[in-house]
Amino acid sequence: MTSEAGGEILFERRGPLGLVTLNRPKALNALSLPMIRAMHAQLRAWEDDDTVSRVAVRAAGGRAFCAGGDIRRIYEVARAGDEAELYDIWAGEYGLVAYVGRYPKPYVSLIDGIVMGGGVGISLHGEYRVAGEDYAFAMPEVGIGFFPDVGMTHSLPRLPGRTGFYLALTGARIGAGDALNVGLATHHARGADFDRILDRLAAGVAAAEAIGEFSAPAPQTGPLVAERALIDACFEAETVSEILARLDAEAEAGSGFAAATAALLRTRSPTSLCIAREQMRRGTNLSLAEAILAEYRLVTRLMQSNDFYEGVRAVIIDKDGKPAWRPARVEEVDLEAVRAAFGPSGRPEPRFA
């Protein structure tokens, strides 16, 4: 076993298996730039190593697979005006995510606990996604003045019906049952069996067979499945304002779920909501690499705007839960500016293909 990034990420060879362990449990295994760089380099080395035939990713600590990128560090770097490190972080994370999406060897993610942001990016785009019983997926970026990134522009619009639209705009958390139902997870196994799956992978058993040996019955589904008809009817609307109007109408007709969803949306950044809706509109026509490039372009705009810094301040730094969004209402968002933000920014752009 080798340790990189100060021990925050570990790499191990077990026969034909290359094993990555995220090892930053006190930070919910959030991805730092050194972790990102180390993982990208190791995956490349294993791609070129004919004795490695499969890769697996797991996490230490039990509470989280990976809660995302290191948002606090991004906030600090941006506030310090260090653009070089700021965009190194974004380009590094997005480059790793794009690489996972085209990795040529079987790629198995063993996911238990929280999986958000960058944690979704380094798992969802791989071939096998095994959800443990404590699996909890969310892309809650609209709550910090950001948007669902790491390839979600590509992935979420491709989920059944408008479930991806709902997840993008609300940032709602779902469990393993709902994730399996819509395809965010491919398999379910007890977290206690993850080590046994790794043993079988290390013994050379094909990934699908190794996972299948420990497959557990799908857990009970939740609101994403139970409220599917309402989600589809409301989130197919073309604008955020219309989505809210449809939810309000359903709430007036007696739907507690619609009322709660509308209330949640009204706590999110209005600009972020409009960006997320536009992502969902565009995403079905974009490859993963094209989607990630669009997200990088969005980042260059949002790093210059109010809502990201205000959202991080309110949720992560001061924790007062009272962000002052600008603008404060969805109706005041400049939709032409939102659409323009998907185009070239004038900054140097990395290649993600």
Side-chain angles (χ1 to χ4, degrees):
M1 180 180 292
T2 60
S3 172
E4 299 286 346
E8 293 179 345
I9 190 165
L10 310 174
F11 305 112
E12 183 179 357
R13 274 291 306 278
R14 296 187 184 178
L17 172 67
L19 176 61
V20 179
T21 302
L22 306 178
N23 191 41
R24 200 185 177 199
K26 290 183 179 179
L28 301 180
N29 294 313
L31 298 171
S32 66
L33 181 57
M35 291 170 70
I36 289 165
R37 286 174 168 166
M39 182 173 175
H40 202 157
Q42 187 62 70
L43 288 177
R44 287 190 182 280
W46 283 336
E47 178 182 356
D48 294 335
D49 186 342
D50 291 340
T51 67
V52 175
S53 61
R54 72 283 310 275
V55 167
V57 184
R58 66 173 180 180
R63 185 180 171 196
F65 173 77
C66 175
D70 194 338
I71 293 297
R72 181 182 289 271
R73 179 61 182 168
I74 291 169
Y75 177 90
E76 292 169 349
V77 167
R79 282 304 195 209
D82 187 349
E83 284 201 352
E85 182 175 347
L86 176 64
Y87 288 105
D88 278 351
I89 293 172
W90 291 117
E93 181 178 18
Y94 289 1
L96 173 59
V97 169
Y99 183 53
V100 168
R102 63 178 186 272
Y103 202 67
K105 297 181 179 181
Y107 185 101
V108 179
S109 299
L110 300 173
I111 312 165
D112 212 11
I114 297 165
V115 56
M116 300 190 297
V120 176
I122 63 168
S123 58
L124 181 61
H125 305 299
E127 187 174 1
Y128 300 97
R129 304 177 296 278
V130 185
E133 61 268 35
D134 294 323
Y135 173 105
F137 169 100
M139 290 297 295
E141 288 78 8
V142 291
I144 58 167
F146 199 59
F147 62 91
D149 61 340
V150 295
M152 295 305 100
T153 302
H154 174 270
S155 299
L156 291 182
R158 287 170 167 79
L159 297 187
R162 289 295 184 265
T163 53
F165 291 53
Y166 165 81
L167 293 171
L169 271 73
T170 63
R173 185 176 296 195
I174 63 169
D178 280 346
L180 287 160
N181 184 273
V182 299
L184 290 167
T186 59
H187 298 79
H188 174 56
R190 298 185 311 132
D193 286 331
F194 282 5
D195 283 342
R196 299 168 72 188
I197 293 172
L198 292 173
D199 288 343
R200 298 296 284 156
L201 291 170
V205 177
E209 182 181 347
I211 297 166
E213 289 179 13
F214 301 99
S215 180
Q220 184 175 356
T221 56
L224 192 69
V225 173
E227 300 289 349
R228 170 69 187 278
L230 186 151
I231 288 170
D232 287 353
C234 293
F235 282 83
E236 70 177 2
E238 290 296 320
T239 67
V240 177
S241 295
E242 179 59 25
I243 290 171
L244 284 166
R246 293 187 186 190
L247 287 168
D248 289 342
E250 293 287 349
E252 289 179 7
S255 171
F257 174 80
T261 301
L264 179 60
L265 287 175
R266 289 188 168 100
T267 69
R268 305 316 201 184
S269 158
T271 299
S272 294
L273 290 174
C274 293
I275 289 172
R277 181 62 186 83
E278 183 67 9
Q279 287 178 268
M280 298 302 99
R281 186 185 73 79
R282 292 171 181 254
T284 53
N285 296 318
L286 299 177
S287 68
L288 177 59
E290 290 169 339
I292 292 174
L293 175 58
E295 291 166 2
Y296 186 83
R297 291 170 172 175
L298 288 170
V299 161
T300 66
R301 273 55 179 243
L302 266 67
M303 292 300 97
Q304 309 300 321
S305 65
N306 167 79
D307 278 12
F308 173 72
Y309 301 101
E310 179 60 13
V312 174
R313 180 206 63 76
V315 175
I316 297 174
I317 307 300
D318 297 338
K319 300 182 180 179
D320 60 24
K322 297 179 180 179
W325 305 125
R326 295 205 305 259
R329 300 172 63 248
V330 166
E331 292 77 12
E332 297 169 347
V333 176
D334 183 345
L335 296 182
E336 285 299 322
V338 167
R339 287 187 281 270
F342 285 80
S345 66
R347 292 188 58 90
E349 295 181 345
R351 288 178 55 84
F352 298 111

